[in-house]
Amino acid sequence: MVKKNTCVFISGQGTNLKNLISCSRENNFPIKISLVIYNNRKANGVLYAKKFNIPYVFINTNIKNYENKVLLNLKKYNISFICLAGFMKIISNKLIKNYPNKIINIHPSLLPKFKGLNTFSRMIANNEKKAGCTVHYVNKKLDGGNRILQKIFFINSNDNESILKKKTQKLEHRAFPEAIIKVFRNI
């Protein structure tokens, strides 16, 4: 199996990155993580890239035309697929045009509900009975791309934001690899 060179974009702790690195080391997993891009200097997730000798690049996404630097690095590492794993920046149309149907994101809600930020507090305020995560293709609409996969759990009456986050991350670690396998099975 020829693995697809993949870049993971992160902004935080990198738990999904760590999980994807682990999965990518399996022979039958369709991607090889060849680059990590991060946009937050305090993103501890970059430590996983360092630990596993994966090239990583900090890109300030608050500057004009930052996409050019992103695209140069993606080209340099021959990247053909992108995973957004807690990347806290809306992907520009320029990147989407250069990687059509090649960018996926994991979101901590059952889309189309609770797009954007503060999903757990909004779930609690809305008295939701179910929560989970969604892996979807990235398009021009925030959290609006076609769904690849969803994982669901039931919310207990004593669940708070912290508990919902932990339960969701546990599901994300199953959902993201499954979605990647599904994407490449359908190509």
Side-chain angles (χ1 to χ4, degrees):
M1 169 188 281
V2 176
K3 294 183 177 235
K4 298 289 184 188
N5 284 340
T6 299
C7 180
V8 180
F9 287 43
I10 65 168
S11 295
Q13 296 304 311
T15 63
N16 275 303
L17 170 62
K18 178 185 178 191
N19 185 56
L20 290 178
I21 290 169
S22 176
C23 291
S24 72
R25 294 182 170 242
E26 296 172 16
N27 287 336
N28 61 347
F29 199 68
I31 66 167
K32 174 187 179 205
I33 299 174
S34 304
L35 179 64
V36 172
I37 288 178
Y38 66 109
N39 67 339
N40 171 6
R41 291 215 183 265
K42 295 179 182 175
N44 288 329
V46 78
L47 297 174
Y48 296 118
K50 291 177 182 178
K51 179 179 179 181
F52 293 100
N53 296 315
I54 297 168
Y56 55 92
V57 177
F58 170 79
I59 295 186
N60 182 351
T61 53
N62 293 320
I63 61 170
K64 191 174 181 178
N65 297 322
Y66 76 89
E67 303 94 337
N68 293 335
K69 189 173 179 186
V70 170
L71 288 168
L72 282 172
N73 279 283
L74 296 175
K75 187 175 182 179
K76 177 180 176 183
Y77 290 96
N78 198 26
I79 300 299
S80 60
F81 192 68
I82 298 169
C83 295
L84 307 180
F87 188 64
M88 303 308 287
K89 177 74 175 179
I90 295 172
I91 296 298
S92 71
N93 290 339
K94 188 173 190 175
L95 288 175
I96 293 168
K97 283 179 189 172
N98 279 274
Y99 285 86
N101 296 315
K102 303 286 187 212
I103 306 172
I104 65 172
N105 180 45
I106 191 154
H107 185 75
S109 79
L110 299 172
L111 293 174
K113 284 188 165 188
F114 307 110
K115 295 177 179 184
L117 302 174
N118 306 313
T119 55
F120 304 122
S121 60
R122 291 188 289 151
M123 283 178 204
I124 291 169
N126 209 43
N127 292 315
E128 290 295 312
K129 303 290 183 236
K130 291 188 282 187
C133 61
T134 306
V135 183
H136 64 93
Y137 287 100
V138 173
N139 66 10
K140 293 177 184 181
K141 295 180 182 172
L142 177 67
D143 295 326
N146 290 337
R147 282 181 279 171
I148 300 164
L149 185 86
Q150 283 187 322
K151 295 276 185 195
I152 298 169
F153 66 89
F154 289 95
I155 298 174
N156 295 322
S157 59
N158 60 341
D159 285 353
N160 59 29
E161 287 182 48
S162 176
I163 291 169
L164 287 178
K165 181 178 180 179
K166 285 178 186 161
K167 287 181 175 181
T168 301
Q169 282 184 328
K170 190 173 181 181
L171 271 188
E172 286 178 350
H173 296 163
R174 286 185 22 228
F176 219 167
E178 283 180 35
I180 290 167
I181 290 167
K182 186 176 179 182
V183 164
F184 286 99
R185 190 180 293 140
N186 292 336
I187 289 179

